[in-house]
Amino acid sequence: MDVAEEAPVRVRTVVAYTASPGLGGAEIALGHLLAHASTALDVLLVGTSQQVVATLAARRPGMRAVVVPASGARAAAAHLALFRRLRPDVVHVNRHVPWAAALGIVAALATPGARLVTVDQLPLRTVDPVELWRTRALTLRADAAVAVGPASARRIEDFYALGRGSVHSVPNGVPDHGVRRRAARPSGPLVVGAVGRLDPMKGHDVLLRALAQVDGVDVVLVGSGAEEGSLRGLARHLGIAGRVSFAGWLPSPPDFLPGFDVFALPSRSEGFPLALVEAMLAELPCVATPVGSIPAAITPERTGLLVPTDDADALAAALRRLRDDPDLRDRLGAQARQAALAAFTASTMTEAYERLWGRVAGRPRSALLRPPPPRP
């Protein structure tokens, strides 16, 4: 029987591991997985940050959670002793960057009976040769390697010379909270929202430069970050400060979505952004860049609009189209929600991981488990 067709076995204990020092999209995705994993599973959370572990543990009441040292002389021994005591069937390592979590991976590999699944939330390549070699070597030892979309999987394969077709694709998913965009208003500016940390990678500066070319549109930025000062300065320089609102960090960004008419994500780099899926579920017409695995969610002219990266003129043209065509906004928003419900919910993501856990647990530890071949 082909590996791709092997029947999964029953998994009893899964350790979810994160070495992230802070909370971001990678940790939110892991939180959705923890919350939706089957109650028949004994899921344990292990991490190196007290804040991250406490926040994620709250997503699954009653789950055991342990904080281990991130570095230092005792860190390796603490990881190994903990994993050997827990004796999990599967260790699910959620990497916020591909070169993270080396101690957790080594401890998983050294634990008798455990199977290792690595998940890369961002398709990034390190420029440090030691980190690059280590990342490649450890990923090749995994029983299954995962990235959060087809394009992200191919980039991880190329960045770390893993071999074509060696990385699985499991897109991130979010719960459907039933949030919907408001009905179109008869007057007033079109409100374009962007949700995400204020970081150069997110391309908020491109959005502001596009806004300066389009009348009748306001922008709301939901999030915080080091770029806030420079973005405020850019808005003043462009003469649009009165049309840009900085909402700051919010504990539940989806609650803000009904106040938007359009969602914009002009990122320079992405994995599979949760904010985009939340906007799609809210029936918001979305305009984004074709980076990472965004094209897996946005089909141009069907579930949204795609514009080139760093192209303020193209983004401005897309915003004018959406401003002037309410029927287009309604059509894109409705189709985006249907696409998200079909493929990008937290339940869909969790089912995919549970099937993968069962497959790796049912076979000997050997070479990296390859994804099934694409259907013709």
Side-chain angles (χ1 to χ4, degrees), residues 315-337:
L315 180 54
L319 294 180
R320 288 191 202 97
R321 282 188 66 194
L322 293 168
R323 178 197 63 189
D324 298 339
D325 193 341
D327 291 337
L328 175 63
R329 299 199 300 269
D330 290 342
R331 176 173 62 82
L332 292 178
Q335 291 176 166
R337 175 169 170 77

Side-chain angles (χ1 to χ4, degrees), residues 204-206 208-209 229-240:
H204 294 110
D205 57 312
V206 182
L208 297 189
R209 294 184 188 280
S230 63
L231 290 171
R232 287 182 180 275
L234 178 60
R236 291 191 296 269
H237 173 73
L238 294 171
I240 57 171

Side-chain angles (χ1 to χ4, degrees), residues 112-206:
R115 298 294 180 265
L116 170 65
V117 174
T118 61
V119 180
D120 287 311
Q121 292 286 341
L122 285 172
L124 301 177
R125 174 168 45 196
T126 178
V127 297
D128 184 297
V130 174
E131 284 184 339
L132 193 150
W133 175 86
R134 185 186 67 195
T135 301
R136 180 179 187 273
L138 292 178
T139 304
L140 286 171
R141 292 291 307 280
D143 295 284
V146 178
V148 291
S152 294
R154 302 296 80 79
R155 294 188 75 184
I156 290 293
E157 290 168 356
D158 292 343
F159 287 167
Y160 296 97
L162 302 176
R164 180 59 77 230
S166 61
V167 179
H168 298 254
S169 168
V170 180
N172 284 334
V174 301
D176 178 21
H177 297 295
V179 174
R180 297 290 190 282
R181 69 184 175 102
R182 64 188 176 194
R185 295 173 298 168
S187 61
L190 187 82
V191 178
V192 175
V195 177
R197 68 185 181 279
L198 303 184
D199 180 278
M201 186 179 76
K202 295 294 185 180
H204 294 110
D205 57 312
V206 182

Side-chain angles (χ1 to χ4, degrees), residues 17-18 20 24-33 92-100 118-124 146-149 152-153 156 167-168 170-173 197 201-202 269-274 292-293 349 353:
Y17 179 86
T18 172
S20 175
E27 295 68 50
I28 293 172
L30 179 58
H32 293 329
L33 177 61
H92 178 98
V93 177
N94 192 68
R95 299 196 290 201
H96 62 292
V97 291
W99 53 92
T118 61
V119 180
D120 287 311
Q121 292 286 341
L122 285 172
L124 301 177
V146 178
V148 291
S152 294
I156 290 293
V167 179
H168 298 254
V170 180
N172 284 334
R197 68 185 181 279
M201 186 179 76
K202 295 294 185 180
S269 177
E270 284 287 356
F272 191 84
L274 299 178
S293 291
M349 173 189 69
Y353 278 123

